[in-house]
Amino acid sequence: MKLKLIAAALIGATSLGLSGCVISVGDHESGKSADYWQVQQDKNRDLLSKLSMGMSSDQVTTLMGTADFSEAYTKSTQNNAEQSIKVLFYRTQWAEGNGKTTKDECTPIVFRDDVLVGWGDTAYRQH
């Protein structure tokens, strides 16, 4: 009889211990919520307003964080000098509901020789 009471007590204690367990099942691979993109693009738009011409690319990435896309190339000037052009793209607007960020949803930030020379589509087209 004692053995049955001890077994019942152990089973009861075990079930009480498990009653507080929650198992989360779903697509949490990225660890981001469904509206992460909206929060991030709102934050990026706010941070763009804090940019100043002449900032270095290190200063901009410290402020803005990691870019969604980037490009870099060299460009020859009229007097045959080489300029280094770097463009960072940050998500700032929604375009498609496919869950993937594309360049058309981003604002380009343009650097010439590691100095911020502009941001937005006009700056991107000029460089």
Side-chain angles (χ1 to χ4, degrees):
M1 182 67 153
K2 272 187 168 180
L3 187 56
K4 287 183 181 181
L5 288 174
I6 292 173
L10 285 174
I11 291 171
T14 302
S15 66
L16 285 175
L18 291 177
S19 66
C21 292
V22 176
I23 297 174
S24 178
V25 178
D27 183 16
H28 299 289
E29 181 179 336
S30 65
K32 299 175 183 174
S33 65
D35 62 348
Y36 169 80
W37 61 269
Q38 187 166 6
V39 171
Q40 188 62 44
Q41 72 186 25
D42 291 346
K43 177 184 169 193
N44 287 343
R45 280 196 305 267
D46 180 55
L47 292 173
L48 282 173
S49 69
K50 295 172 175 42
L51 295 179
S52 298
M53 300 295 263
M55 292 175 80
S56 72
S57 62
D58 285 343
Q59 289 173 313
V60 171
T61 55
T62 297
L63 175 69
M64 299 287 298
T66 303
D68 292 290
F69 301 99
S70 64
E71 296 177 354
Y73 59 94
T74 56
K75 177 180 174 180
S76 295
T77 64
Q78 290 177 343
N79 61 357
N80 291 330
E82 291 287 316
Q83 292 180 332
S84 174
I85 307 295
K86 179 176 168 181
V87 185
L88 302 177
F89 295 85
Y90 291 89
R91 183 185 182 119
T92 54
Q93 66 256 346
W94 179 84
E96 268 186 68
N98 64 2
K100 298 184 190 277
T101 299
T102 57
K103 279 188 182 176
D104 65 331
E105 296 173 318
C106 296
T107 297
I109 300 176
V110 183
F111 301 90
R112 184 175 46 227
D113 294 328
D114 200 43
V115 175
L116 179 61
V117 294
W119 57 93
D121 292 333
T122 302
Y124 183 60
R125 282 192 301 271
Q126 290 178 352
H127 291 88

